[in-house]
Short mmCIF file of all heavy atoms in Angstrom, two decimals:
data_model
loop_
_atom_site.label_atom_id
_atom_site.label_comp_id
_atom_site.label_asym_id
_atom_site.label_seq_id
_atom_site.Cartn_x
_atom_site.Cartn_y
_atom_site.Cartn_z
N ILE A 55 62.02 -137.59 20.11
CA ILE A 55 61.66 -137.40 21.50
C ILE A 55 60.17 -137.39 21.48
O ILE A 55 59.47 -138.06 22.32
CB ILE A 55 62.30 -136.23 22.12
CG1 ILE A 55 63.75 -136.46 22.38
CG2 ILE A 55 61.56 -135.88 23.45
CD1 ILE A 55 64.52 -135.40 22.83
N ILE A 56 59.47 -136.67 20.60
CA ILE A 56 58.04 -136.51 20.54
C ILE A 56 57.47 -137.96 20.22
O ILE A 56 56.45 -138.28 20.78
CB ILE A 56 57.61 -135.49 19.55
CG1 ILE A 56 58.18 -134.06 19.99
CG2 ILE A 56 56.10 -135.48 19.31
CD1 ILE A 56 57.79 -133.59 21.38
N SER A 57 58.07 -138.66 19.32
CA SER A 57 57.55 -139.99 19.02
C SER A 57 57.54 -140.89 20.23
O SER A 57 56.61 -141.63 20.33
CB SER A 57 58.43 -140.52 17.89
OG SER A 57 58.33 -139.88 16.71
N ILE A 58 58.66 -140.89 20.97
CA ILE A 58 58.69 -141.73 22.06
C ILE A 58 57.68 -141.34 23.08
O ILE A 58 56.91 -142.18 23.72
CB ILE A 58 60.09 -141.59 22.75
CG1 ILE A 58 61.18 -142.22 21.84
CG2 ILE A 58 60.11 -142.31 24.08
CD1 ILE A 58 62.62 -141.94 22.23
N LEU A 59 57.37 -140.05 23.30
CA LEU A 59 56.31 -139.58 24.22
C LEU A 59 54.96 -139.95 23.66
O LEU A 59 54.08 -140.11 24.42
CB LEU A 59 56.54 -138.14 24.43
CG LEU A 59 57.71 -137.66 25.25
CD1 LEU A 59 57.87 -136.27 25.45
CD2 LEU A 59 57.74 -138.43 26.64
N GLN A 60 54.80 -139.98 22.34
CA GLN A 60 53.52 -140.32 21.83
C GLN A 60 53.21 -141.79 22.13
O GLN A 60 52.07 -142.21 22.46
CB GLN A 60 53.49 -140.07 20.25
CG GLN A 60 53.28 -138.65 19.87
CD GLN A 60 53.42 -138.43 18.44
OE1 GLN A 60 54.06 -139.20 17.77
NE2 GLN A 60 52.74 -137.37 17.96
N VAL A 61 54.23 -142.63 21.93
CA VAL A 61 54.02 -144.07 22.30
C VAL A 61 53.72 -144.24 23.75
O VAL A 61 52.90 -145.13 24.05
CB VAL A 61 55.37 -144.82 21.91
CG1 VAL A 61 55.28 -146.34 22.36
CG2 VAL A 61 55.56 -144.88 20.42
N ALA A 62 54.36 -143.38 24.63
CA ALA A 62 54.23 -143.51 26.00
C ALA A 62 52.93 -142.87 26.46
O ALA A 62 52.57 -142.79 27.56
CB ALA A 62 55.40 -142.92 26.78
N ARG A 63 52.18 -142.08 25.49
CA ARG A 63 50.96 -141.39 25.78
C ARG A 63 51.14 -140.33 26.87
O ARG A 63 50.39 -140.16 27.84
CB ARG A 63 49.79 -142.29 26.13
CG ARG A 63 49.49 -143.29 25.00
CD ARG A 63 48.08 -143.90 25.18
NE ARG A 63 47.73 -144.52 24.01
CZ ARG A 63 47.34 -145.79 23.85
NH1 ARG A 63 47.21 -146.53 25.04
NH2 ARG A 63 46.95 -146.30 22.77
N SER A 64 52.25 -139.46 26.62
CA SER A 64 52.56 -138.51 27.65
C SER A 64 51.52 -137.37 27.55
O SER A 64 51.10 -137.02 26.48
CB SER A 64 53.91 -138.02 27.23
OG SER A 64 54.20 -136.87 28.06
N LYS A 65 51.34 -136.90 28.75
CA LYS A 65 50.34 -135.77 28.81
C LYS A 65 50.96 -134.37 28.36
O LYS A 65 50.25 -133.45 28.16
CB LYS A 65 49.71 -135.63 30.25
CG LYS A 65 49.11 -136.87 30.65
CD LYS A 65 47.97 -136.64 31.73
CE LYS A 65 47.25 -137.87 32.18
NZ LYS A 65 46.73 -138.76 31.23
N THR A 66 52.23 -134.32 28.31
CA THR A 66 52.91 -133.14 27.89
C THR A 66 52.78 -132.85 26.43
O THR A 66 52.89 -131.62 26.04
CB THR A 66 54.54 -133.20 28.17
OG1 THR A 66 55.05 -134.32 27.46
CG2 THR A 66 54.77 -133.31 29.61
N LEU A 67 52.35 -133.82 25.74
CA LEU A 67 52.22 -133.56 24.25
C LEU A 67 51.12 -132.61 23.87
O LEU A 67 51.15 -131.94 22.82
CB LEU A 67 51.93 -134.88 23.54
CG LEU A 67 53.24 -135.82 23.59
CD1 LEU A 67 52.80 -137.14 22.82
CD2 LEU A 67 54.30 -135.23 22.82
N LYS A 68 50.04 -132.58 24.70
CA LYS A 68 48.94 -131.60 24.46
C LYS A 68 49.46 -130.19 24.41
O LYS A 68 49.18 -129.48 23.52
CB LYS A 68 47.81 -131.83 25.46
CG LYS A 68 46.64 -130.82 25.12
CD LYS A 68 45.52 -131.13 26.36
CE LYS A 68 44.45 -130.08 26.06
NZ LYS A 68 43.47 -130.15 27.08
N GLN A 69 50.27 -129.88 25.42
CA GLN A 69 50.94 -128.50 25.51
C GLN A 69 51.83 -128.24 24.35
O GLN A 69 51.90 -127.24 23.74
CB GLN A 69 51.69 -128.36 26.80
CG GLN A 69 50.77 -128.37 28.09
CD GLN A 69 51.68 -128.20 29.23
OE1 GLN A 69 52.35 -127.29 29.45
NE2 GLN A 69 51.66 -129.34 30.14
N TRP A 70 52.62 -129.32 24.10
CA TRP A 70 53.63 -129.26 22.94
C TRP A 70 52.95 -128.92 21.62
O TRP A 70 53.27 -128.12 20.90
CB TRP A 70 54.39 -130.63 22.74
CG TRP A 70 55.40 -130.61 21.72
CD1 TRP A 70 55.21 -131.19 20.55
CD2 TRP A 70 56.58 -129.92 21.65
NE1 TRP A 70 56.31 -130.98 19.74
CE2 TRP A 70 57.17 -130.09 20.41
CE3 TRP A 70 57.42 -129.09 22.56
CZ2 TRP A 70 58.38 -129.58 20.06
CZ3 TRP A 70 58.57 -128.51 22.21
CH2 TRP A 70 59.03 -128.85 20.92
N LYS A 71 51.84 -129.73 21.33
CA LYS A 71 51.12 -129.49 20.05
C LYS A 71 50.57 -128.15 19.97
O LYS A 71 50.50 -127.58 18.92
CB LYS A 71 49.99 -130.53 19.88
CG LYS A 71 50.70 -131.97 19.57
CD LYS A 71 49.54 -132.94 19.33
CE LYS A 71 50.30 -134.37 19.19
NZ LYS A 71 49.33 -135.41 19.23
N GLU A 72 50.04 -127.66 21.09
CA GLU A 72 49.43 -126.25 21.17
C GLU A 72 50.51 -125.17 20.86
O GLU A 72 50.29 -124.33 20.02
CB GLU A 72 48.82 -126.04 22.50
CG GLU A 72 48.22 -124.67 22.74
CD GLU A 72 47.76 -124.50 24.20
OE1 GLU A 72 47.09 -125.39 24.74
OE2 GLU A 72 48.06 -123.42 24.66
N LEU A 73 51.72 -125.34 21.53
CA LEU A 73 52.69 -124.38 21.17
C LEU A 73 53.21 -124.48 19.72
O LEU A 73 53.48 -123.51 19.16
CB LEU A 73 53.85 -124.58 22.18
CG LEU A 73 53.57 -124.08 23.55
CD1 LEU A 73 54.77 -124.40 24.53
CD2 LEU A 73 53.27 -122.53 23.53
N ASP A 74 53.42 -125.78 19.27
CA ASP A 74 53.84 -125.97 17.91
C ASP A 74 52.87 -125.30 16.93
O ASP A 74 53.29 -124.60 15.96
CB ASP A 74 53.79 -127.45 17.60
CG ASP A 74 54.42 -127.81 16.22
OD1 ASP A 74 55.06 -126.86 15.49
OD2 ASP A 74 54.36 -128.95 15.83
N GLY A 75 51.54 -125.34 17.13
CA GLY A 75 50.57 -124.64 16.35
C GLY A 75 50.76 -123.13 16.40
O GLY A 75 50.73 -122.36 15.36
N LYS A 76 50.97 -122.58 17.60
CA LYS A 76 51.19 -121.12 17.83
C LYS A 76 52.40 -120.68 17.07
O LYS A 76 52.48 -119.55 16.55
CB LYS A 76 51.26 -120.81 19.23
CG LYS A 76 49.90 -120.83 19.90
CD LYS A 76 49.96 -120.50 21.38
CE LYS A 76 48.66 -120.57 22.08
NZ LYS A 76 48.68 -120.16 23.52
N ILE A 77 53.54 -121.44 17.13
CA ILE A 77 54.74 -121.11 16.48
C ILE A 77 54.53 -121.03 14.99
O ILE A 77 54.98 -120.23 14.22
CB ILE A 77 55.87 -122.01 16.82
CG1 ILE A 77 56.21 -121.87 18.33
CG2 ILE A 77 57.19 -121.77 16.00
CD1 ILE A 77 57.10 -122.96 18.83
N THR A 78 53.84 -122.04 14.48
CA THR A 78 53.60 -122.06 13.02
C THR A 78 52.84 -120.86 12.55
O THR A 78 52.96 -120.25 11.56
CB THR A 78 52.76 -123.47 12.64
OG1 THR A 78 53.63 -124.52 13.11
CG2 THR A 78 52.55 -123.48 11.17
N ILE A 79 51.80 -120.55 13.39
CA ILE A 79 50.93 -119.29 13.03
C ILE A 79 51.83 -118.03 13.02
O ILE A 79 51.66 -117.19 12.10
CB ILE A 79 49.79 -119.18 14.02
CG1 ILE A 79 48.80 -120.33 13.90
CG2 ILE A 79 49.08 -117.81 13.98
CD1 ILE A 79 47.66 -120.44 14.94
N ALA A 80 52.66 -117.90 14.10
CA ALA A 80 53.49 -116.76 14.11
C ALA A 80 54.49 -116.66 12.98
O ALA A 80 54.71 -115.58 12.44
CB ALA A 80 54.26 -116.67 15.53
#
C-alpha cells in the first residue's frame, strides 16, 4: 500500500513516515 502511494506521490506519506519513525524510536 505504501509503495502504491509513493508512486502516486500521496501527501499522506509524510505523516506516515513521521509516525513510523516515532514508533521505531519508542
Side-chain angles (χ1 to χ4, degrees):
I55 292 172
I56 297 303
S57 295
I58 293 168
L59 292 178
Q60 284 173 333
V61 170
R63 295 197 170 129
S64 171
K65 300 210 184 307
T66 59
L67 290 179
K68 182 180 178 190
Q69 293 175 64
W70 178 258
K71 287 178 182 172
E72 180 185 314
L73 286 178
D74 188 10
K76 287 181 180 181
I77 292 164
T78 301
I79 289 168

